[in-house]
Amino acid sequence: MHKNKTLLLVTARKRLSVFIILALVIGVLGNTFAAEENVPTLKISSVTGKPGERVTVEISVDNPQGIAGMQFSVNYDPSILAVSDADVKANTISGWIFDTNVIQEEGKVYFAGASANAITVSSEMTVCSIAFTISKSADIGNTEVTIADLYVANDVPQKIEMNIQNGKITVSGESSDPGNNDPGNNDPGNNYPGNNVPGSKEQSSTETVDENASTDINAQTIVDNLGNVTVSVTQDQINNAISAAELSALPTGIKIKADCVKDAMKVTINIPAQSFRKLAENDRISFVLIQTCTATITLDKKALASISNNVTSTSNNISIIIEKVSNSAFLSEIKNQVGNRPAYNFFVYVDDRDVPNLSQGNVIISLPYTLASEDDPNAVIIYCIDRNGNASIVPNCVYDTEENAVVFTTSRFLMYAIGYNKRVFSDVSGWATDYITYLAAREIISGIGDGKFAPNVNIKRCEFVKMLAGIAGADVSVYSGSKFKDVKSSDWFAPYVAWAAEMEIVFGVGNGMFAPYDDISRQDMAVMIDRFAIYVNYSLPEVTAEVTFSDNDSIKSYALEAVKRLQRAGIISGMSDGTFAPTKGATRAESAKMLAVFLQGMAKTIK
């Protein structure tokens, strides 16, 4: 009996392979068999779920009598839905052998099944089920799940005509993830105590700060004999600014301007707490910019709400403090990089309560700084020093040559110091130099040894994922393994791949594989950057007109929209011959350019 069972399995597996070939041949020859009535129907069920949830759709066939084999693909939007091979379950139809293959990057699940004997019953049968995970950043609405590449045959074999009934997944309500509402709690996956990026549920709209789209408040400025500056905003000034903003056709900002006091030791900006709450709650106010000669601070809409959440009915005052720090306060590890450059402590108080962290939103800080004659602006960086004295580089900082200032984005009010971290590679020159210098200064990329960078060598998929983790400041020490079959826990890149998979930046290449040592293609790099933008809650700007590449038809459907968005954002461009070359490997220099432009844009963008 055991021998007969083994023989049956071998026969069925052979039949499955033969069926796939025959189905393709029959499809070409058009040799179709179908009864005049009772044509079978392949159906996908429709379900509803929330962002972050798993939902299961069933693929069934109505009136399956006479079917001996079938193959088809289930197509879905990979930016909304994710699935792995383990999520696909084939039904145990008696005598059938099944094979499935998931290619997440393309949004396809391939299915094939065959039997030594045709199905003899006409009642509806479930063929397989697929458990999809809805992206946490998915918009509310419907996303289609469709059938394509369908071939069905009887046991002659002849092709059988079959109807198709597609399904959909309705994304409704808010994410089931409760999020992070504790002002003092940062996501453990973020080593750099900066941006509020991990676990964001939706990609917020993004506005580049436009100082012309604001209502000005000229605040009273008082300087004491110790060089301390107090800037006071009144309730009437806030009310008048809100009234002016409500007359604007579009959401606008409020700019609080202090008299310029150079070399101030400490600047304290006082705003009535209840008036601040009104600013935060008014949907016409998109940001508040506070301008002093010591620093300019811009609070986005969510940052305003985060601070306002600490205001009670009895709160009187909100103080934002900028305090100059002596360079002797720095640890030896960064003293050389900081030198005599400026450093400041930043605080926010609601009355006497310290609010060091934002639970949501971000702050743009601009620190005036004049370059020394030998300074390379791409090597000027910002160090963040936490309350325990631990220093880390802020990745998304940039030197603004027009404003002569270092600009960076953060979500914490801590100590920040301007530093300089120039890295030189002997084999880097030409167009890529500035981009490579920029990322190397922030320790997002490094060389290959002997002072070389190898700019023209193609970058591997595992290497690019590590670069993204560096930009995010991800603490990958919490990851010990990976879900991919070809990524071992002992591989140096395993924690970076595991992080990227958990954050829905990568999904693998199918069959549970990641292909870490493969060169990353230009189109896959675009897809990863596009997903990373969602992860860091950054809506890509549109700074250039859309270009239609001459090989647009060669760009895979799963990558086309990502390529368009990155091209309009000025992050990617085509080849000199007008093509995009989607399957061509991207070099280390090209990847440095893409990520440097991405970071520089994000550093100066209000969310």
Side-chain angles (χ1 to χ4, degrees), residues 3 25 53 55 64 86 124 169 212 339 365 371 539:
K3 181 178 180 181
V25 173
E53 287 186 344
V55 294
E124 184 172 340
I169 294 176
N212 295 318
I365 296 176
L371 292 173
S539 289

Side-chain angles (χ1 to χ4, degrees), residues 395-408:
N396 56 340
C397 60
V398 61
Y399 185 80
D400 189 329
T401 54
E402 293 183 1
E403 298 294 331
N404 290 325
V406 190
V407 184
F408 62 99

Side-chain angles (χ1 to χ4, degrees), residues 58 87 209 223 245 255 268-269 336 347 353 459 468 479 527:
E58 290 191 346
D87 297 322
V209 178
V223 187
K255 183 195 295 184
T268 302
I269 301 99
N336 291 336
F347 302 93
R353 180 185 176 188
I459 192 167
L468 293 178
Y479 297 94
V527 170

Side-chain angles (χ1 to χ4, degrees), residues 225-336:
N225 56 6
L226 298 176
N228 298 317
V229 178
T230 301
V231 180
S232 299
V233 181
T234 68
Q235 179 178 329
D236 286 344
Q237 286 177 312
I238 296 292
N239 290 339
N240 291 337
I242 290 175
S243 297
E246 288 176 341
L247 297 176
S248 175
L250 296 171
T252 185
I254 290 179
K255 183 195 295 184
I256 298 171
K257 300 171 68 175
D259 294 341
C260 183
V261 179
K262 293 186 177 180
D263 301 320
M265 296 302 297
K266 182 179 180 180
V267 179
T268 302
I269 301 99
N270 292 317
I271 303 173
Q274 304 307 321
S275 297
F276 189 96
R277 175 183 273 180
K278 287 182 180 180
L279 286 176
E281 293 176 349
N282 193 294
D283 59 7
R284 309 307 296 167
I285 308 298
S286 59
F287 64 88
V288 170
L289 185 150
I290 302 169
Q291 185 181 63
T292 76
C293 276
T294 304
T296 297
I297 299 172
T298 306
L299 303 163
D300 69 15
K301 184 67 176 177
K302 290 183 178 180
L304 293 172
S306 180
I307 296 172
S308 178
N309 287 341
N310 295 276
V311 175
T312 68
S313 59
T314 60
S315 299
N316 294 312
N317 187 63
I318 289 178
S319 299
I320 299 173
I321 300 172
I322 312 163
E323 187 175 35
K324 195 169 185 178
V325 177
S326 168
N327 296 69
S328 61
F330 296 121
L331 301 173
S332 58
E333 61 184 281
I334 64 168
K335 269 189 177 180
N336 291 336

Side-chain angles (χ1 to χ4, degrees), residues 15 19 66-71 96 113-115 118 151-155 160:
R15 187 174 184 84
F19 165 72
I67 296 175
M70 67 176 73
Q71 76 172 27
W96 278 57
S115 172
Y151 296 96
V152 186
N154 59 22
D155 56 0
I160 296 176

Side-chain angles (χ1 to χ4, degrees), residues 426-568:
S426 61
D427 58 346
V428 171
S429 61
W431 66 268
T433 302
D434 287 349
Y435 304 117
I436 293 170
T437 300
Y438 179 85
L439 292 184
R442 287 147 185 80
E443 298 181 359
I444 294 167
I445 59 175
S446 56
I448 60 171
D450 295 327
K452 297 183 182 298
F453 181 72
N456 298 319
V457 173
N458 285 353
I459 192 167
K460 307 298 182 185
R461 288 170 57 85
C462 59
E463 293 171 332
F464 190 70
V465 165
K466 181 179 183 291
M467 292 170 68
L468 293 178
I471 292 174
D475 180 7
V476 297
S477 65
V478 299
Y479 297 94
S480 57
S482 170
K483 69 177 184 179
F484 298 110
K485 300 174 186 175
D486 55 351
V487 178
K488 296 180 291 187
S489 59
S490 58
D491 290 331
W492 67 264
F493 49 79
Y496 301 104
V497 174
W499 165 82
E502 182 176 318
M503 301 308 164
E504 299 182 352
I505 297 168
V506 300
F507 293 97
V509 297
N511 287 325
M513 311 292 275
F514 179 70
Y517 297 107
D518 284 2
D519 293 344
I520 188 169
S521 66
R522 287 166 56 83
Q523 65 184 357
D524 281 356
M525 183 176 287
V527 170
M528 287 190 196
I529 295 175
D530 190 54
R531 290 176 183 155
F532 184 73
I534 295 174
Y535 167 70
V536 296
N537 203 24
Y538 174 45
S539 289
L540 297 169
E542 296 192 10
V543 298
T544 62
E546 184 170 317
V547 172
T548 300
F549 299 110
S550 60
D551 59 349
N552 246 31
D553 291 343
S554 299
I555 302 173
K556 291 285 189 180
S557 59
Y558 70 86
L560 185 58
E561 290 305 314
V563 170
K564 288 181 179 180
R565 282 190 287 269
L566 266 65
Q567 182 269 316
R568 292 194 299 265

